[in-house]
Amino acid sequence: MDGNGRWAENRGKNRIIGHIKGADALRPVVENCPRLGIGYLTVYAFSSENWKRPPSEVCQLMGLFEEYILKETHRLNKMGVKLRFIGNRHMLPNSLQKVIAWAEKMTESNTVLGMQVALNYGARDEIVNAARKLVCWVADNQITEEDITCERFASALETTPWPDPDLFIRTGGEKRLSNYLLWQLSYTELIFLDIYWPDFTVQDLERAIETYYERERRFGGMTCLASSA
Ligand code: FPP
């Protein structure tokens, strides 16, 4: 959800206004996921590198996350959304940690849409933590070194057991992954949009899905036509 800050700056407003508008833009996207056949949605709300921002922006963002979760969880729960948070939550303010635990608990048995919020998330940290877990499992004789396959490795990631994303959308014009789901995005179709996140609409999501269906996913293999020739 990139471009909130620039959206606000271009209008002569404080960057937090951009983040508030960003939260507004997220609402219809989530609401429309079930209709569009989306079973899982992951949004990047705060990266482990975002602490480098001015303390005032970080503080306002933490307040906004707390307010968003407190305000939205009942509605999301009614919609059947299961909320899950990935990233190092222990570094977040205590009050935010409590709200996260409350939202996860309230929505834990929902099945209509899995919504994952990456908060203080960094993919390299996630991969290193997975490697640490595997080392412990081997040391505890729960598994052997030979048991470490891609599937086993993935089972130690925070996103387990949810599937890898089919489609990745980054707004804001930058064409990079910025330490986001590096393992999980290996075969994901990537779409980069030049619009800022607060301007992102359900129509943009529908267009991205159309583009996704026009692409041919081979997962390193060949097309049916080529393989039968
Ligand atoms: C990136 O834009 C966006 C963020 C760091 C915050 C995203 C948060 C929301 C949309 C609020 C929604 C809340 C929840 C809990 C899901 P940027 O600030 O990097 O924009 P810039 O690149 O223009 O500076």
Side-chain angles (χ1 to χ4, degrees):
M1 301 185 288
D2 200 12
N4 294 347
R6 281 167 288 164
W7 184 95
E9 281 163 6
N10 285 351
R11 287 163 177 76
K13 295 182 194 296
N14 189 294
R15 290 172 60 84
I16 193 64
I17 303 294
H19 297 308
I20 293 168
K21 290 288 175 191
D24 291 342
L26 181 58
R27 215 166 279 122
V29 167
V30 179
E31 275 168 8
N32 279 274
C33 278
R35 176 180 69 79
L36 294 170
I38 296 168
Y40 297 91
L41 171 73
T42 305
V43 290
Y44 207 176
F46 195 84
S47 84
S48 46
E49 286 77 33
N50 284 156
W51 296 105
K52 294 178 198 152
R53 292 181 178 218
S56 60
E57 184 176 345
V58 170
C59 184
Q60 285 174 320
L61 267 172
M62 295 297 150
L64 177 64
F65 296 146
E66 199 172 316
E67 193 186 309
Y68 181 93
I69 300 163
L70 272 174
K71 246 184 16 206
E72 300 292 322
T73 299
H74 285 290
R75 203 177 52 86
L76 294 172
N77 190 39
K78 275 198 198 120
M79 276 173 57
V81 177
K82 179 184 172 88
L83 267 173
R84 207 160 89 139
F85 293 81
I86 56 170
N88 183 354
R89 64 182 67 184
H90 305 295
M91 280 170 70
L92 300 172
N94 277 337
S95 54
L96 179 54
Q97 288 185 44
K98 280 189 190 139
V99 168
I100 284 173
W102 165 79
E104 284 182 331
K105 184 86 194 126
M106 179 186 293
T107 62
E108 68 186 347
S109 50
N110 292 339
T111 55
V112 173
L113 171 71
M115 178 174 171
Q116 211 160 223
V117 181
L119 254 189
N120 191 24
Y121 171 86
R124 287 183 173 182
D125 283 342
E126 182 192 27
I127 291 169
V128 168
N129 288 336
R132 287 197 182 122
K133 273 192 210 167
L134 290 162
V135 169
C136 290
W137 293 346
V138 172
D140 291 348
N141 292 318
Q142 291 179 40
I143 59 168
T144 67
E145 198 184 317
E146 288 70 38
D147 292 330
I148 302 177
T149 57
C150 287
E151 290 71 26
R152 182 78 65 166
F153 196 96
S155 79
L157 294 170
E158 289 188 66
T159 47
T160 194
W162 290 9
D164 291 342
D166 293 310
L167 174 62
F168 161 101
I169 303 171
R170 179 175 186 158
T171 56
E174 310 295 354
K175 291 172 182 59
R176 54 177 172 259
L177 298 180
S178 301
N179 202 14
Y180 186 55
L181 300 177
L182 297 181
W183 174 285
Q184 297 87 340
L185 294 178
S186 294
Y187 288 103
T188 301
E189 294 297 327
L190 308 179
I191 291 182
F192 297 93
L193 299 177
D194 283 330
I195 53 170
Y196 295 138
W197 173 254
D199 291 328
F200 185 86
T201 63
V202 173
Q203 285 69 43
D204 293 311
L205 177 60
E206 287 171 347
R207 245 174 265 136
I209 294 172
E210 277 168 30
T211 306
Y212 168 84
Y213 278 115
E214 283 160 13
R215 295 199 187 163
E216 185 189 22
R217 301 184 79 197
R218 293 197 297 274
F219 298 93
M222 294 160 73
T223 60
C224 292
L225 194 63
S227 57
S228 63

